Amino acid sequence: MNFLWLLYASLQKKSYLCGQKIGHTDSSRIHELLEGAMTDKIDDRETFMKGIDYSYYYEQEE
């Protein structure tokens, strides 16, 4: 089984949030965004920590 991490750093915040908003009616946009931002570097601590930092950044109000 292959595991993948999401590289939030490679996603644009506005595109991601827009995809989240319309995702409940049309998930194709968010699926497309996330598919292009996956990595197999699951044992890389730096990638993991960056992912946590970016996920908090994406949740912040502008």
Side-chain angles (χ1 to χ4, degrees):
M1 177 185 264
N2 292 335
F3 292 97
L4 298 173
W5 285 115
L6 177 62
L7 291 174
Y8 280 96
S10 64
L11 295 173
Q12 292 182 350
K13 183 176 180 177
K14 285 188 178 189
S15 296
Y16 175 75
L17 294 177
C18 181
Q20 287 288 336
K21 287 180 184 176
I22 64 170
H24 66 282
T25 57
D26 179 15
S27 63
S28 62
R29 179 67 180 135
I30 194 68
H31 180 74
E32 180 182 306
L33 284 170
L34 297 180
E35 188 173 49
M38 301 303 280
T39 182
D40 61 356
K41 297 189 324 185
I42 63 166
D43 294 323
D44 184 36
R45 180 169 164 49
E46 183 178 352
T47 300
F48 177 75
M49 297 306 289
K50 274 186 176 181
I52 291 172
D53 288 342
Y54 269 91
S55 67
Y56 281 111
Y57 164 71
Y58 279 44
E59 298 297 325
Q60 291 176 352
E61 297 283 330
E62 289 190 12

